[in-house]
């Protein structure tokens, strides 16, 4: 039992920073638990950023933004958060299963929902900064409910304070706005998220990235120095 409250039932995902488990509270309620890996949980900056995600998403208060129910540190000192349990696939997986792209109408509907959630976030001063297909989840709930995930690197402006270190480069190169790629933190704003939605839209409709490259470094340089391609160029 995790913290004497949650039983970890199954590993549902693992990344470089954390693992996600399907779990059950001692009262029988299902949930998902995201636990930082031990090797990074001891890094103060990483742990604080991780736990900040626990309240930034809730601050948005939108039905298409995943809600965090609790956060704590386990017996081994690893930070974790308790979230609603989602069943389904990421938008990245959904597109991959369809050959890398999705139908026009479905893509527009999903992106419109993401934009609505981002509008709510922007109204309370939250900039997501890592919108990409892998951070959009499509639920197998009969309604294909869209959920925006991972506010771990979100920028929160509150009482005039920016909670992200100046010059720190965060995000995913293939979906970064030019100002993000250049590391110009003061220039990052709602328009940066909208650019990322546009890059995601480009990828979902064409199966290609706005900027191509052999490595993330090449893509990052392209994002910083070249204008994005138009879908009309793809044909």
């Amino acid at each position: 039992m995790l913290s004497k409250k949650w039983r970890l039932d199954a590993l549902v995902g693992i990344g470089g920073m954390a693992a996600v488990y399907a779990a059950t509270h001692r009262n029988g309620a299902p949930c998902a638990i995201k636990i930082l890996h031990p090797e990074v949980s001891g890094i103060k900056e990483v742990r604080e950023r991780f736990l900040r995600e626990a309240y930034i998403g809730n601050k948005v208060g939108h039905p298409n933004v995943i809600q965090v129910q609790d956060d704590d540190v386990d017996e081994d000192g690893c930070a974790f958060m308790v979230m609603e349990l989602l069943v389904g696939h990421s938008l990245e997986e959904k597109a991959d299963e369809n050959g890398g792209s999705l139908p026009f109408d479905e893509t527009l509907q999903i992106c419109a929902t993401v934009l609505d959630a981002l509008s709510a976030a922007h109204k309370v001063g939250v900039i997501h900064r890592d919108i990409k297909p892998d951070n959009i989840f499509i639920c197998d709930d009969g309604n294909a409910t869209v959920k925006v995930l991972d506010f771990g690197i979100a920028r929160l402006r509150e009482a005039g304070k920016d909670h992200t270190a100046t010059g720190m480069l965060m995000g995913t190169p293939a979906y970064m706005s030019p100002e993000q790629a250049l590391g110009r933190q003061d220039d990052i704003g709602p328009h940066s998220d909208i650019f990322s939605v546009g890059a995601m839209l480009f990828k979902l409709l064409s199966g290609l990235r706005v900027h191509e490259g052999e490595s993330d470094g090449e893509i990052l340089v392209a994002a910083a120095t070249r204008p994005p391609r138009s879908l009309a160029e793809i044909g």
Side-chain angles (χ1 to χ4, degrees), residues 91-194:
L91 187 53
E92 180 89 5
E93 293 169 333
K94 187 175 179 66
D96 286 346
E97 291 171 359
N98 196 55
S101 62
L102 290 175
F104 182 80
D105 289 347
E106 183 178 9
T107 298
L108 289 190
Q109 183 177 3
I110 291 169
C111 287
T113 302
V114 172
L115 286 170
D116 189 61
L118 289 173
S119 176
H122 297 159
K123 286 176 182 177
V124 294
V126 174
I127 314 301
H128 189 286
R129 300 197 309 158
D130 197 20
I131 292 296
K132 58 184 178 181
D134 204 38
N135 278 340
I136 308 301
F137 197 87
I138 312 300
C139 300
D140 290 339
D141 58 357
N143 298 311
T145 300
V146 176
K147 291 282 187 176
V148 180
L149 312 180
D150 199 359
F151 279 79
I153 68 168
R155 186 180 194 184
L156 173 61
R157 285 178 172 152
E158 192 171 57
K161 296 181 180 179
D162 183 352
H163 294 265
T164 303
T166 301
M168 188 177 293
L169 188 65
M170 294 180 181
T172 302
Y175 300 96
M176 273 187 182
S177 64
E179 60 275 10
Q180 280 181 276
L182 289 165
R184 294 177 177 170
Q185 301 298 331
D186 289 343
D187 294 334
I188 294 173
H191 57 279
S192 306
D193 281 345
I194 293 171

Side-chain angles (χ1 to χ4, degrees), residues 8-28:
L8 302 183
D9 300 319
L11 176 67
V12 296
I14 189 166
M17 302 288 285
V20 179
Y21 295 85
T24 305
H25 190 272
R26 62 189 178 194
N27 65 10

Side-chain angles (χ1 to χ4, degrees), residues 62-84:
H62 190 280
N64 296 105
V65 172
I66 190 168
Q67 299 297 295
V68 176
Q69 301 159 354
D70 199 358
D71 63 85
D72 207 340
V73 177
D74 68 14
E75 295 82 354
D76 297 321
C78 296
F80 68 90
M81 66 179 70
V82 183
M83 306 173 290
E84 54 184 313

